[in-house]
Amino acid sequence: MKVTVIIPNYNGEKYIKNCLMALLNQSCKAFRVIVVDNGSSDNSCQIIEGMKNKFTDRGFGTEALTLIRKNNNTGFCGGVNTGIRLCITPYVILLNNDTEVFEDFIEKSVEGIERSKRIFSVSPMMIQMHDKELIDNAGDGYTAVGWAFAFGMDEPVENHTKEKEIFSACGGAAIYRTEILKKLGMFDENHFAYLEDLDIGYRARIYGYKNMYNPKAVVYHAGSGTSGSRHNVFKIKKSARNNIYVLYKNMPLLQLIINMPFIAAGCIAKWLFFKKAGAMFGEAYIKGLTEGITSLRKCKKVKYSNRNLKNYVKIEALLIKNTFVYAGKLLKNKGKI
């Protein structure tokens, strides 16, 4: 058995059965599933318990599906970390509860990550659940202005059929090397949710690992199935705060100083965008930035080493490249973030 699939769940009654049913139909049977429930108040736990017999009947074994119930909501990070600590397989797949994987998803994910020992994570082709001709995510990018973005979002599926290196994998559906994941400290629980996948991918890059996009592994994704719409107050505030964490933890002081004018310009531009979208969105963004700056003491900064200097230079070059890539996307979409 090579793979453990970890699904964080919070009030996922609408999605969780279909998510698990898709795993039942996998061409690869050598995996186990751990669902970590973050204190749900709906019927999702009962649905998960009811699915255990289906896994047994399909020949997966009596312990193929495990449900761990937590008393309170520890967010995406706390949920998946609970599962990762129990993981003894070489690879771990993180899967949102609002996803439905293709039948060869696990097989193709393993093939993708085993192409090189320097690959830390592999992001699949994520297709929008409600418009199956459009990409939801083809890997995550990050820019010198401190903006994260999803490659391919709202673009035709046929435009993203080639494997490529990405900045980081999207934690909504991705495979990781368990040993490296644990060495990197797993997902930062200070994040709670949002940009934690970017943060772990950034850390892996500092130590010379790669993150890849594999279009042969495919999954449908409802998107914001738990938290709501693409832009909401909760998400805006948490993302703004967590972006401060990502920058502070992963950039050495000199790199932060070099990029600070661009990061400041990026913050102003985003604030103006959210303010135009609604006063409460602009306020949420400022509150998130403020909370991030005032709580930096909670962050564990990656210790700088000259041994990783080459990797820092590569990261900076990629940040600059992605800035132009995303600027082109913004122009095409008339400023839509």
Side-chain angles (χ1 to χ4, degrees):
M1 188 174 293
K2 290 184 175 181
V3 179
T4 301
V5 179
I6 299 173
I7 305 172
N9 179 69
Y10 178 69
N11 290 339
E13 180 179 6
K14 181 179 177 181
Y15 300 100
I16 193 63
K17 184 175 181 179
N18 288 341
C19 179
L20 293 173
M21 286 297 294
L23 290 171
L24 271 177
N25 296 322
Q26 287 297 290
S27 56
C28 165
K29 305 294 183 184
F31 66 92
R32 65 175 298 205
V33 181
I34 300 176
V35 181
V36 183
D37 183 75
N38 268 323
S40 294
S41 57
D42 64 0
N43 294 318
S44 52
C45 285
Q46 290 88 326
I47 293 171
I48 296 162
E49 291 285 1
M51 291 291 294
K52 287 184 176 181
N53 289 335
K54 292 185 182 294
F55 275 82
T56 303
D57 294 342
R58 293 284 183 92
F60 281 90
T62 56
E63 296 184 2
L65 175 59
T66 301
L67 172 63
I68 299 173
R69 297 196 191 199
K70 307 190 83 172
N71 294 327
N72 59 311
N73 188 356
T74 58
F76 178 89
C77 301
V80 298
N81 281 351
T82 296
I84 292 167
R85 290 186 187 101
L86 300 174
C87 180
I88 58 173
T89 53
Y91 310 116
V92 56
I93 289 178
L94 303 186
L95 207 58
N96 278 6
N97 60 8
D98 60 345
T99 58
E100 294 178 25
V101 299
F102 280 33
E103 63 182 15
D104 60 352
F105 171 77
I106 291 179
E107 178 185 345
K108 296 301 182 184
S109 294
V110 172
E111 286 179 3
I113 201 166
E114 288 190 336
R115 290 189 64 177
S116 169
K117 291 183 178 180
R118 299 309 298 173
I119 297 176
F120 165 63
S121 68
V122 178
S123 202
M125 176 188 286
M126 298 178 74
I127 300 174
Q128 295 179 20
M129 184 85 73
H130 305 299
D131 191 339
K132 295 181 173 60
E133 294 182 356
L134 298 179
I135 290 288
D136 180 70
N137 186 293
D140 287 342
Y142 199 45
T143 67
V145 297
W147 291 8
F149 65 96
F151 283 107
M153 180 179 283
D154 297 329
E155 296 176 8
V157 169
E158 58 265 26
N159 290 1
H160 296 274
T161 58
K162 294 183 179 180
E163 183 185 45
K164 63 181 179 181
E165 187 172 353
I166 53 178
F167 192 86
S168 65
C170 173
I175 186 168
Y176 298 84
R177 290 187 182 274
T178 308
E179 182 182 4
I180 305 303
L181 191 56
K182 290 181 177 180
K183 282 184 178 179
L184 292 172
M186 301 188 290
F187 292 89
D188 187 344
E189 297 187 20
N190 289 319
H191 280 234
F192 187 82
Y194 304 117
L195 301 187
E196 72 292 317
D197 45 7
L198 183 82
D199 177 54
I200 196 77
Y202 200 140
R203 267 182 276 157
R205 280 188 162 278
I206 291 172
Y207 294 105
Y209 293 97
K210 293 182 178 181
N211 303 300
M212 303 295 295
Y213 165 65
N214 177 16
K216 293 181 180 179
V218 187
V219 55
Y220 290 132
H221 183 220
S224 300
T226 298
S227 64
S229 61
R230 185 175 292 180
H231 293 309
N232 58 71
V233 169
F234 177 82
K235 183 175 181 179
I236 290 169
K237 183 179 178 181
K238 285 286 189 288
S239 296
R241 181 198 66 178
N242 293 348
N243 195 42
I244 297 295
Y245 291 168
V246 169
L247 293 165
Y248 171 75
K249 287 186 295 179
N250 296 294
M251 283 191 179
L253 180 59
L254 179 59
Q255 190 180 17
L256 268 173
I257 292 171
I258 291 171
N259 287 306
M260 191 55 65
F262 308 108
I263 294 168
C267 289
I268 293 170
K270 271 214 169 181
W271 172 67
L272 291 172
F273 171 83
F274 287 128
K275 185 181 179 183
K276 184 178 179 180
M280 61 180 180
F281 294 147
E283 291 174 5
Y285 185 71
I286 293 298
K287 286 180 180 178
L289 291 179
T290 303
E291 183 178 334
I293 293 169
T294 57
S295 59
L296 284 177
R297 64 185 181 280
K298 297 193 302 182
C299 297
K300 184 178 180 181
K301 194 170 176 65
V302 176
K303 188 176 181 180
Y304 175 79
S305 170
N306 285 330
R307 183 171 49 188
N308 299 321
L309 179 59
K310 180 174 69 174
N311 299 327
Y312 282 113
V313 172
K314 287 181 178 179
I315 289 169
E316 183 64 21
L318 187 56
L319 292 175
I320 294 169
K321 177 185 175 182
N322 284 342
T323 302
F324 287 101
V325 170
Y326 194 52
K329 183 179 176 68
L330 286 177
L331 288 172
K332 185 178 179 180
N333 294 338
K334 298 179 180 179
K336 180 183 176 183
I337 294 178

